[in-house]
Amino acid sequence: MTRPIVIAVDGPAASGKGTLSRRLATQYGLRHLDTGLSYRAVAQALLASGQPLDDEALAVEAAGAVDFTVFDPSVLSAHAVGEAASRVSVFPPVRRILVDKQRAFAMDPPGAVLDGRDIGTVVCPDADVKLYVTASPAVRAGRRHREILRLGGQADYAAILADIERRDARDMGRADSPLRPADDAHLLDTSQMSIEAAFLAACAIIDEALAARN
Ligand code: C5P
């Protein structure tokens, strides 16, 4: 049987890695996992039951109960849940539990595109292709701001930018599995690039890697 194809896509909040990963999964006939949702599910379980976010034992219990098949992105995508997720994701035992589940998902044939912060460095260090998608904080904040306005919501650009910078600092500064490009990751800086251009650049990198594998 052929080995599953694994594509790792990492990058900071609002870098466009989620949209890119979904398109890549469709393009290559792979399953897709947004690993951020698994940390968000832990945070949401604690928020929903009014429990503190800084209690490691409670977070571990919530992580054990996480089931990737029942994620509700409409609840998990809330801003407050993302902020809370970045707090519970600092606990090493929480990460170990979720990483085991993420690896099992990746290795199920025919393979998968996983996006997150530590896919190329920790979850799937042997991935066939590793992409690190980034853009300047100002560009990411601008995209998120426009997206909220487009959906009819209200948003303050300065607050979004401050939030992105705080989240970057926490994700890059934590001791366990900090956000950073793997040594063998391909960097895609989308500051000056459309989603379409980023998709085409990613496909070129993946096609070359898959041709070398066959
Ligand atoms: O990508 P998303 O914004 O949904 O991630 C929410 C939070 O979950 C991130 O800020 C990060 O702290 C955490 N996370 C992580 N490792 C991943 C994916 C997300 O630590 N692989």
Side-chain angles (χ1 to χ4, degrees):
M1 206 172 67
T2 49
R3 188 167 53 83
I5 295 171
V6 178
I7 300 175
V9 183
D10 290 302
S15 58
K17 64 184 187 305
T19 308
L20 178 65
S21 300
R22 270 187 295 280
R23 283 194 63 182
L24 291 175
T26 304
Q27 173 78 10
Y28 292 96
L30 301 172
R31 291 163 309 117
H32 170 241
L33 180 65
D34 172 354
T35 61
L37 290 181
S38 51
Y39 293 91
R40 286 171 180 261
V42 172
Q44 171 60 21
L46 297 175
L47 291 172
S49 54
Q51 289 171 312
L53 296 166
D54 55 0
D55 184 321
E56 184 172 306
L58 289 176
V60 165
E61 200 179 313
V66 163
D67 177 356
F68 293 169
T69 62
V70 297
F71 282 160
D72 180 352
S74 67
V75 173
L76 298 180
S77 62
H79 177 76
V81 180
E83 182 61 25
S86 115
R87 292 176 58 189
V88 298
S89 70
V90 301
F91 296 130
V94 168
R95 303 199 67 85
R96 276 198 299 277
I97 292 169
L98 296 181
V99 165
D100 280 349
K101 297 184 190 210
Q102 293 160 5
R103 281 189 187 136
F105 182 96
M107 295 318 288
D108 218 359
V113 180
L114 274 74
D115 73 84
R117 303 290 192 288
D118 59 343
I119 309 303
T121 51
V122 176
V123 182
C124 303
D126 298 327
D128 295 282
V129 185
K130 299 178 186 178
L131 303 174
Y132 189 86
V133 186
T134 187
S136 69
V139 167
R140 288 186 276 135
R143 284 183 191 152
R144 182 148 284 178
H145 187 226
R146 281 193 299 280
E147 175 70 2
I148 295 171
L149 298 184
R150 189 179 67 78
L151 295 172
Q154 289 191 337
D156 174 36
Y157 172 81
I160 294 175
L161 178 60
D163 181 67
I164 280 182
E165 287 176 335
R166 191 172 54 242
R167 191 102 79 82
D168 281 359
R170 200 183 287 141
D171 290 345
M172 292 174 185
R174 68 176 172 229
D176 187 355
S177 316
L179 169 64
R180 66 169 182 85
D183 292 338
D184 51 352
H186 298 267
L187 299 189
L188 271 183
D189 186 334
T190 67
S191 300
Q192 314 277 348
M193 220 187 243
S194 65
I195 289 290
E196 187 59 29
F199 173 70
L200 294 175
C203 287
I205 293 165
I206 294 168
D207 288 344
E208 196 179 325
L210 295 186
R213 169 190 143 113
N214 291 330

